[in-house]
Amino acid sequence: MSKQDQEFSELLSFLQDPRVDVQQAAAEGVLQYTEVPEFVEYCARNPRSAARPLLRLVERSEAAKSTDSSGKAGSSSGYQDKKEKLANAEAVALAAAGVAALQALVNISSAPSVQDELVSLNAPKRITEALREGWLEGRADSAHWYAMLLTNITTSKSGQEALCKDQGMLDFLMAAYFTKPRLPPRDGYDDPLLFLGKVLVNVTAVKDGRKLLGTGEQAIKRLSALFSELGDRGRRPDMINAVKHFCLDTDCHEAIISTDLMALMAAFLYPLEKAAPEHHKALPEALRSLLEKEAATLTADVAVRASAVVCMMGLCRSLEGREYMRAMSCKEILLSWKSGESDESVLTNLETVLPAMTLTEEELVEEQKSLAKDSKFAGIPAETQSSSLDEPS
């Protein structure tokens, strides 16, 4: 072991020191060192030595907050008063140590080996439980760090699968993400739970995640809540990718067609002011009124438009998806969108979708067969596909 590795090992060992003030100093030191490439590399080579004590310190800190006795009546003796002051000082130090340890975990969890180690330590469940306990007790000061850590862990397939093993965990994370009013800004993050959207994107990249959220008795309710977040510009880039995963999976189409997905997407895809009069008049009255109320316009975000057209290509894979789109007058929406589209790859994909809105089912039979042979659609640019999206069946 090199001298530097020995120093790193000793620093990490102090995270388990009996003294809380030493734990705090160690956690803050580790957090600072996560900015040093050599330390991050050491953690990647020795993931258990880093991940395990940091995770345990985070949990000890949360447990101490849950059992905080600051509301008890005042003491009657000087000795007891001094004892309580010491306990309060330790509680403050442990809380600071927990926050530093959590941030350090976020920083080192970008390494695949650390992600795998955290999964082996059952971190997805432990982290979610810690977040839920604080949430139920009115404490969510570190919610954004927990969300970031879950985001990093679920970039790996093992992390995605681990989170999919517990429906209750996913339901809580979704409920927290959708809750109103939202958490106030903190640590420079206007939307502290923004990263939970990325967790949902990662989880829905695997079949099990889509099955849990996009099928079954509660699917319509869950998808409706998720799709409603498309109206938030800050959350839209993540949500449209989660929507894409569902749309590419024909098993989810039964639930999707019972939602307002197309209307919600039209609000940022339909260029209301530039649409041709004949296209605008052809829209259903309810949809037309909604788009006028929302001042619909074509988003300037190319990545969002690219994912949105893939969503529509996905829906075209099933008869119920195509009928849903026709009922929502997607032909007019697509034609107006196409007239204002400047990106060549998006235009190409729009031209792929349009025949499904204009041709009869008989005329589409051959095209549907070709699409079914390639689950990733030959015409979809690689950058619009999820690298970990397994083949929808």
Side-chain angles (χ1 to χ4, degrees), residues 60-81:
R60 288 200 302 274
S61 176
E62 282 296 333
K65 293 175 186 177
S66 296
T67 57
D68 181 21
S69 59
S70 60
K72 291 197 298 185
S75 60
S76 58
S77 68
Y79 171 78
Q80 188 67 23
D81 189 43

Side-chain angles (χ1 to χ4, degrees), residues 106-389:
V106 171
N107 291 347
I108 67 172
S109 62
S110 59
S113 60
V114 176
Q115 295 168 8
D116 291 339
E117 184 61 36
L118 286 168
V119 172
S120 73
L121 293 169
N122 200 25
K125 184 176 180 64
R126 293 164 68 178
I127 293 165
T128 303
E129 285 297 330
L131 174 58
R132 177 158 51 188
E133 288 177 11
W135 188 277
L136 294 176
E137 294 176 6
R139 296 181 292 99
D141 293 343
S142 297
H144 50 312
W145 301 121
Y146 283 119
M148 290 181 210
L149 182 53
L150 284 171
T151 298
N152 284 349
I153 294 174
T154 55
T155 57
S156 70
K157 189 167 185 178
S158 62
Q160 295 160 1
E161 292 174 342
L163 202 56
C164 290
K165 290 180 180 178
D166 192 323
Q167 178 78 64
M169 285 197 298
L170 275 179
D171 284 343
F172 164 72
L173 293 174
M174 290 186 70
Y177 186 62
F178 302 145
T179 192
K180 301 289 190 298
R182 292 179 182 169
L183 295 179
R186 63 195 58 175
D187 295 331
Y189 296 96
D190 292 335
D191 183 358
L193 294 181
L194 178 70
F195 287 89
L196 284 185
K198 300 182 187 301
V199 173
L200 293 175
V201 174
N202 292 340
V203 168
T204 57
V206 294
K207 184 70 175 179
D208 286 346
R210 297 192 299 275
K211 183 177 180 179
L212 283 174
L213 302 179
T215 64
E217 294 181 358
Q218 298 298 314
I220 297 173
K221 180 180 179 181
R222 292 191 180 103
L223 292 184
S224 294
L226 189 149
F227 295 165
S228 68
E229 296 299 312
L230 289 169
D232 184 312
R233 290 186 181 182
R235 294 185 171 191
R236 187 180 296 158
D238 290 325
M239 288 300 94
I240 194 64
N241 282 315
V243 172
K244 177 178 68 177
H245 292 163
F246 287 115
C247 290
L248 285 169
D249 190 336
T250 55
D251 288 344
C252 300
H253 287 191
E254 182 180 354
I256 291 173
I257 64 174
S258 295
T259 70
D260 295 329
L261 176 60
M262 281 299 104
L264 293 167
M265 291 177 65
F268 57 87
L269 296 174
Y270 185 73
L272 182 63
E273 295 184 355
K274 300 179 180 180
E278 61 271 21
H279 295 157
H280 192 55
K281 292 179 180 179
L283 296 175
E285 184 177 350
L287 178 59
R288 186 169 61 248
S289 298
L290 175 64
L291 296 179
E292 291 172 349
K293 179 181 178 182
E294 297 293 329
T297 186
L298 182 61
T299 178
D301 191 327
V302 177
V304 168
R305 300 200 308 271
S307 291
V309 73
V310 175
C311 291
M312 296 187 178
M313 294 177 78
L315 287 176
C316 285
R317 297 188 65 200
S318 72
L319 174 61
E320 57 192 351
R322 294 191 297 274
E323 290 179 340
Y324 169 66
M325 293 173 67
R326 290 168 186 148
M328 293 298 294
S329 297
C330 277
K331 173 186 173 182
E332 285 68 31
I333 294 171
L334 291 168
L335 287 172
S336 296
W337 173 5
K338 182 181 176 183
S339 67
E341 184 55 64
S342 57
D343 185 85
E344 288 298 326
S345 63
V346 176
L347 278 170
T348 298
N349 289 334
L350 283 171
E351 292 172 354
T352 301
V353 177
L354 273 168
M357 299 296 99
T358 57
L359 302 178
T360 65
E361 284 301 314
E362 290 75 12
E363 293 170 324
L364 283 171
V365 169
E366 293 303 317
E367 183 174 352
Q368 186 68 10
K369 288 180 179 178
S370 65
L371 286 175
K373 292 179 182 178
D374 186 357
S375 65
K376 291 185 178 179
F377 300 102
I380 302 178
E383 64 269 21
T384 69
Q385 300 173 19
S386 168
S387 59
S388 59
L389 180 62

